[in-house]
Amino acid sequence: MSENIRVRFAPSPTGYLHVGGARTALFNWLFARRHGGKFILRIEDTDQARNTDEAMKAIFEGLKWLGLDCDEGPETGGDYGPYYQSQRQDIYDAYMSKLEATGRVYTEENGAVRFKFSRIPIVIPDLVCGDVTFAATEEPDMTLRRPDGSYIFHFVNVVDDIEMRISHVFRGEDHLSNTWKHIDLYHAFGVEAPRFGHIPLLLNPSGSKMSKRDEGASIESYIQAGFHPNAVFNYLCLLGWTPKTEGELITSEQASQIFDISEIHHSNARFDMVKCKWLNQHYMRALDPDELDTFVRKVAQLALPTTHCDTKESALLWQLQQLNLTTVSPAVSSAAFQSVKEKVSLATEFAPWVHFFFRDDFLIDEEVRTKLTAIPQAASLLTALHHSLKNATTWDETNITTIVTEVAAEQKVKPGALMPLLRFSLSGQTRGPDVKIMMNILGQNSTTTRIERLITILS
RNA sequence: GACCCCUUCGUCUAACGGUUAGGACACAUCCCUUUCACGGAUGCGAUGCGAGUUCGAUUCUCGCAGGGGUCGCCA
């Protein structure tokens, strides 16, 4: 039985990989993995005018990024290809002939071919919504083929699902109202329809269907914003499904063990970028220093978008690229990222937190100058620190702490009074990593040089 | 307009017909703390409305309202 389970994701390459589409793909993938079935990718590119190579690439890369591997598809091949609808014209022609033989179609004056609806009530047994009944239709007959010989979505979709032996069709609820047309077609072909399951829609924060303009609409935007795929995968699982796990965290392995289509919700869900980012922060923090370094470097290598350079995301990515990580040793960068990883939620947000680790000519914040002038003994304290640190024989976090504590005692101030001064010297900023960690990463030389620099500026 | 789906805190959601209606994100306050965070604690906050069934309704039924979707020679 489970041998025969075959589901498919059938996007059209007319835009980007939409987050709603990705979620549909995700649920199909989970169903296939859960039941040992096949997950098939089919490109619905019958509308020549609207297809783009860019969109095609976004689909392949987006699915791979999310870890939704296809068992059959344009890139993987398979026994039921070709997997581009644009290459299946002969199959459609053959099916059209079958339909002509049944007398269920007729040709209009301009050459378009229409399908005669049976005009009887049709029940959709839906795995998510239950039985949905549509009364005998009064709509005009449906067009199947354009005068130029190309075919319409409803026709090719049904033909391909038959030909590719698709057992279950899980798609957005926006298709529910059209499904009776598909069932009518299956019956006309004398074929049993697959099992359907209509998944609730993904809504934008204002409550309407996610569209291209909405934040987070395309999967590419997550990649460029520095999201970790596991976080996006996890978040998508949570919209429309509640895995019966301890918390809300779930891996693709776990999800594909326990996914149950009958647990899919019936109501639409609004997309919450804040929660998605929270999950991302969680997943980034779970990475060890090497994994984090690898991840951030990978993000830094992404191409800047050529079309939307003015977005907040691309500005952050640009900043990350200005770090010139290729000139930085992984030992330094991994320690730097590690030191602030609980302060950011996206990989692209690291730059302002770590840039001073990689270059000496950072700017001093205005806020820092203001605070420094409010500390009368700043210069003398820094001079004392400089003296002791310069003479340090071992340079590690423990010893650094000891030295700072000693200087504080000598100067009759709390160690806490010295920390901001050191932070200002080393980073030019009022916020940042733990001071002793900063000093340790920078090393003795750079640390003392930077303190000297601030003393000079003060005098 | 016709048809279809849906309706629990701001958002995502949990709750055999019996719970002080639970959790997560967000928000607020406090603790921790050299900063920012992280972490911990507390707080704020919901069953759309109206009938009915029932000893008892978030849960079942109907009506209404609201939201979403579909009615293409787009997919």
Side-chain angles (χ1 to χ4, degrees), chain A residues 15-16 26 68 73 114 135 147 231 233 236 254-255 280 286-287 382 453:
Chain A
Y16 297 93
L26 171 78
L68 306 182
R114 283 184 184 259
F233 184 102
L236 257 24
Q254 288 175 289
N280 200 62
L287 298 176
L382 279 171
R453 180 191 176 204

Side-chain angles (χ1 to χ4, degrees), chain A residues 246-260:
Chain A
E246 268 300 304
E248 296 185 324
L249 302 173
I250 192 165
T251 63
S252 60
E253 289 74 20
Q254 288 175 289
S256 49
Q257 295 285 318
I258 65 171
F259 181 73
D260 186 342

Side-chain angles (χ1 to χ4, degrees), chain A residues 110-132:
Chain A
N110 67 0
V113 177
R114 283 184 184 259
F115 175 66
K116 282 187 221 169
F117 285 137
S118 58
R119 299 185 187 281
I120 54 172
I122 293 176
V123 179
I124 301 165
D126 193 282
L127 261 17
V128 175
C129 306
D131 286 357
V132 182

Side-chain angles (χ1 to χ4, degrees), chain A residues 254-434:
Chain A
Q254 288 175 289
S256 49
Q257 295 285 318
I258 65 171
F259 181 73
D260 186 342
I261 192 70
S262 72
E263 292 171 348
I264 292 289
H265 306 326
H266 299 176
S267 54
N268 296 341
R270 293 189 195 204
F271 190 89
D272 182 2
M273 185 57 85
V274 173
K275 184 151 185 178
C276 192
K277 283 185 182 174
W278 173 78
L279 272 169
N280 200 62
Q281 180 179 43
H282 171 87
Y283 278 94
M284 284 211 304
R285 287 207 307 143
L287 298 176
D288 69 34
D290 286 344
E291 291 171 332
L292 182 64
D293 189 51
T294 304
F295 175 57
V296 178
R297 282 171 181 267
K298 206 168 162 186
V299 171
Q301 282 166 8
L302 293 171
L304 272 175
T306 49
T307 44
H308 314 292
C309 286
D310 52 339
T311 63
K312 182 178 60 189
E313 288 75 21
S314 54
L316 282 169
L317 180 53
W318 183 82
Q319 279 186 51
L320 186 66
Q321 293 177 343
Q322 298 313 298
L323 256 31
N324 288 321
L325 289 171
T326 47
T327 65
V328 177
S329 90
V332 172
S333 61
S334 64
F337 297 140
Q338 183 71 11
S339 73
V340 293
K341 72 175 179 181
E342 62 285 306
K343 302 175 198 300
V344 301
S345 52
L346 298 170
T348 48
E349 291 172 353
F350 275 106
W353 290 95
V354 299
H355 68 279
F356 54 85
F357 279 122
F358 311 140
R359 55 191 304 158
D360 292 321
D361 57 343
F362 54 84
L363 296 171
I364 309 282
D365 269 9
E366 271 316 304
E367 197 184 348
V368 168
R369 291 180 193 277
T370 314
K371 289 195 173 176
L372 276 173
T373 54
I375 306 171
Q377 69 278 48
S380 62
L381 291 175
L382 279 171
T383 306
L385 280 165
H386 179 260
H387 178 75
S388 296
L389 290 167
K390 187 112 186 169
N391 294 329
T393 48
T394 47
W395 194 259
D396 57 36
E397 287 177 22
T398 313
N399 203 237
I400 288 167
T401 305
T402 307
I403 292 168
V404 173
T405 310
E406 283 169 3
V407 172
E410 283 166 19
Q411 300 294 316
K412 298 187 168 46
V413 295
K414 290 179 189 168
L418 300 179
M419 297 304 179
L421 293 172
L422 287 167
R423 178 183 304 289
F424 298 161
S425 306
L426 303 177
S427 70
Q429 299 180 345
T430 56
R431 285 187 284 261
D434 186 288

